[in-house]
Amino acid sequence: MEVIVKNNYQEISKLASQYLLNVVKAKNDAVLGLPTGGTPLGMYDIVVNEYKNKNISFQNVISFNLDEYIGLDENSKYSYYYFMNKNLFSHIDIKKENIHIPNGTTTDVQQECIEYENKIKEEGSMDILFLGIGKNGHIGFNEPSNYFEPYTHEVILQENTIKANSRFFKDAEGVPKTAITMGIKTILSAKKIILLATGESKADAVSKTIKGKITPGLPASILQLHNDITIITDKDAAKKI
Ligand code: F6R
């Protein structure tokens, strides 16, 4: 596990974007695993600029998002589909058919999870997967629990996650209570993982991820078992390492 502590958000975003861009430059049909949330916004900004400067193409790139809320469709401005389109996909030349995000409006969640997992397997494996981290140590929407859920599955969001994510909604009431997320084994199947963390509120989760006991009570701790993971944090998130 490699840990890189940067001075500020801009530096984190720059380094993260370099990882992403280098993978795509080395392999034009790279398979990317992507997060939503506040943390990766700076990285997406830089990637979009790089595309606008004509330094890169995403024509053959395939992407898989980590998660999606259940009940929100592509046009809902709170859905992760909408988020990804707004912040990345609509600005680059990735093909719509190469974008994969769990379908939050499916009538059969279990079937959607199986199909999502199969699609990832069909592509081989993700060349690089970016993760944020919850204050409670969640990755994707794998919330603390008493066992590691291996594959893509439905999850009931915890109160603190709903509260944290309510900043993107009009009010906490509007935050869906359930979501579809890649599982832990799905996440670990990526060839390379980059975890981004900023701010003091993540310091506890970051230190337990790096040097805590491996436990489903802190899902990110399982990342200790991956053989190619880089954690990029700012000084605040690194305070308890
Ligand atoms: C989002 C996701 C979540 C977030 C995490 C941190 O797709 O999978 O695990 O990465 O909740 O969110 P932010 O970056 O908003 O602090």
Side-chain angles (χ1 to χ4, degrees):
M1 186 178 262
E2 183 187 21
V3 180
I4 302 174
V5 182
K6 288 289 184 189
N7 287 315
N8 55 48
Y9 183 62
Q10 189 53 26
E11 284 184 17
I12 291 179
S13 303
K14 180 85 194 147
L15 182 59
S17 70
Q18 278 163 355
Y19 276 107
L20 192 156
L21 295 164
N22 286 343
V23 167
V24 176
K25 279 176 187 160
K27 187 179 174 205
N28 74 3
D29 58 351
V31 182
L32 308 179
L34 299 173
T36 60
T39 315
L41 283 174
M43 170 177 82
Y44 291 149
D45 242 20
I46 296 170
V47 169
V48 168
N49 273 331
E50 194 70 6
Y51 172 75
K52 284 186 177 153
N53 292 334
K54 301 197 181 356
N55 292 327
I56 190 134
S57 168
F58 294 86
Q59 269 205 347
N60 297 315
V61 165
I62 293 162
S63 74
F64 286 94
N65 262 78
L66 277 158
D67 39 24
E68 177 61 284
Y69 291 116
I70 291 178
L72 301 186
D73 68 26
E74 292 182 9
N75 302 316
S76 159
K77 64 176 185 187
Y78 303 118
S79 72
Y80 283 169
Y81 190 96
Y82 190 95
F83 175 101
M84 290 306 297
N85 232 11
K86 177 169 171 235
N87 295 300
L88 182 65
F89 297 146
S90 67
H91 306 287
I92 60 175
D93 61 348
I94 189 167
K95 291 185 187 124
K96 195 169 188 301
E97 65 265 30
N98 286 349
I99 295 170
H100 302 96
I101 301 182
N103 175 7
T105 55
T106 178
T107 49
D108 189 342
V109 173
Q110 222 178 340
Q111 187 57 26
E112 173 64 17
C113 292
I114 293 169
E115 283 172 17
Y116 200 69
E117 191 68 36
N118 286 342
K119 265 186 244 158
I120 298 173
K121 284 207 184 88
E122 275 163 29
E123 295 303 339
S125 55
M126 291 173 276
D127 291 292
I128 190 161
L129 166 64
F130 293 85
L131 298 173
I133 184 168
K135 290 176 202 162
N136 62 3
H138 74 211
I139 43 176
F141 270 141
N142 291 275
E143 298 281 40
S145 98
N146 48 15
Y147 75 113
F148 290 112
E149 186 97 44
Y151 300 112
T152 301
H153 61 283
E154 177 176 359
V155 67
I156 298 172
L157 301 176
Q158 295 189 352
E159 270 314 310
N160 48 8
T161 298
I162 291 174
K163 198 167 152 226
N165 289 4
S166 66
R167 71 190 196 277
F168 296 111
F169 289 74
K170 220 166 60 207
D171 52 52
E173 290 306 297
V175 186
K177 308 282 181 281
T178 54
I180 294 174
T181 181
M182 284 185 196
I184 292 296
K185 209 168 167 182
T186 330
I187 289 172
L188 292 178
S189 73
K191 290 180 194 150
K192 178 162 190 64
I193 297 178
I194 308 287
L195 183 141
L196 308 175
T198 60
E200 205 170 342
S201 68
K202 304 285 176 73
D204 203 41
V206 166
S207 98
K208 287 178 178 153
T209 298
I210 295 169
K211 56 183 192 190
K213 191 175 84 177
I214 297 175
T215 163
L218 194 112
S221 62
I222 194 80
L223 297 172
Q224 290 173 33
L225 299 182
H226 196 273
N227 59 16
D228 190 355
I229 165 146
T230 301
I231 297 185
I232 311 175
T233 81
D234 61 7
K235 288 187 173 146
D236 286 340
K239 258 186 183 158
K240 295 187 179 171
I241 296 176

